[in-house]
């Protein structure tokens, strides 16, 4: 890890980490959209891909406004979360049970992002980076809304569809 001695260094490091995470997500979200048979879930992934591209632009804007330089680091947590999503796709057949697992994985991603942006906003405020804090708060709101939407989709239809699918597999007497 490169040397981090000041709060500003910590800010740049954390911003670089979430930048890497968002970039990785722009590659993973189209795969997730293809991996589901549920049109609402597919639409959710596609919508969040567009939001994610906007989130990357916000970070670009912050970098420009503050005249900082992001570090080329890889977010290992997001690499792991994306790998788990791939595992779900590789190991579970298309259908509602896979969708339940895709939602769980996607909620873990959103929670990682929520924690990252929450911490970044606090540091930005401490440093007096007011506009950065505002931009990061816009992204945080999108991540929270996405998590809520995913959870709602699981509760309103996908979990029940997975139950029904299992019932269909039970041999008739
Ligand atoms: Fe994001
Ligand atoms: Fe990370
Ligand atoms: Fe997100």
């Amino acid at each position: 890890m490169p040397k981090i001695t000041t709060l500003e260094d910590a800010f740049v490091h954390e911003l670089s980490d979430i930048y890497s995470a968002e970039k990785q997500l722009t590659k993973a979200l189209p795969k997730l959209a293809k991996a589901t048979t549920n049109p609402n879930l597919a639409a959710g992934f596609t919508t969040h891909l567009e939001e994610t591209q906007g989130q990357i632009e916000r970070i670009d804007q912050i970098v420009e406004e503050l005249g900082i330089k992001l570090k080329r680091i890889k977010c290992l947590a997001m690499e792991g979360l994306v790998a788990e999503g791939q595992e779900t796709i590789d190991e579970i057949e298309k259908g509602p049970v896979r969708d339940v697992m895709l939602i769980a994985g996607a909620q873990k991603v959103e929670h990682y992002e929520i924690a990252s942006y929450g911490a970044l906003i606090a540091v930005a405020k401490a440093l007096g980076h007011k506009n950065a804090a505002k931009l990061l708060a816009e992204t945080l709101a999108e991540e929270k809304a996405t998590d809520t939407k995913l959870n709602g989709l699981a509760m309103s239809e996908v979990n029940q569809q997975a139950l029904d699918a299992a019932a269909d597999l039970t041999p008739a007497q």
Side-chain angles (χ1 to χ4, degrees), residues 22 25 29 48 52 55 109-110 113 142-143 146:
E22 298 289 16
L25 273 176
L29 281 164
H48 200 51
T52 299
Q55 294 169 357
V109 165
E110 295 315 311
E113 294 181 306
E142 289 173 353
E143 311 296 24
T146 301

Side-chain angles (χ1 to χ4, degrees), residues 74-154:
K74 182 163 204 176
C75 176
L76 299 175
M78 192 55 69
E79 187 177 37
L81 289 168
V82 168
E84 287 188 7
Q86 188 56 52
E87 211 172 52
T88 293
I89 294 169
D90 293 342
E91 290 175 12
I92 308 172
E93 271 179 56
K94 267 196 177 203
V97 174
R98 180 199 271 189
D99 293 342
V100 168
M101 297 285 286
L102 292 175
I103 290 174
Q107 284 193 259
K108 290 177 196 181
V109 165
E110 295 315 311
H111 278 256
Y112 180 77
E113 294 181 306
I114 289 165
S116 302
Y117 284 108
L120 265 167
I121 291 164
V123 175
K125 284 182 178 165
L127 289 167
H129 298 331
K130 276 190 190 162
N131 200 46
K134 186 184 140 271
L135 290 167
L136 294 167
E138 287 171 18
T139 294
L140 177 61
E142 289 173 353
E143 311 296 24
K144 284 183 178 172
T146 301
D147 176 59
T148 303
K149 213 161 84 179
L150 286 163
N151 202 233
L153 206 53

Side-chain angles (χ1 to χ4, degrees), residues 2-71:
K3 210 166 131 217
I4 296 169
T5 50
T6 66
L7 186 60
E8 188 68 44
D9 292 344
F11 179 72
V12 171
H13 181 87
E14 289 302 298
L15 197 63
S16 303
D17 183 80
I18 197 68
Y19 194 76
S20 160
E22 298 289 16
K23 286 271 183 183
Q24 292 182 57
L25 273 176
T26 60
K27 290 186 194 137
L29 281 164
K31 290 184 195 167
L32 296 176
K34 261 192 228 161
T36 175
T37 48
N38 183 304
N40 294 325
L41 184 56
F45 286 139
T46 305
T47 300
H48 200 51
L49 172 62
E50 285 160 26
E51 284 174 338
T52 299
Q53 281 153 350
Q55 294 169 357
I56 289 170
E57 282 168 25
R58 285 193 193 107
I59 298 175
D60 288 332
Q61 193 185 331
I62 290 167
V63 165
E64 206 181 306
E65 282 180 14
L66 296 178
I68 55 179
K69 200 170 176 309
L70 291 185
K71 290 180 280 182

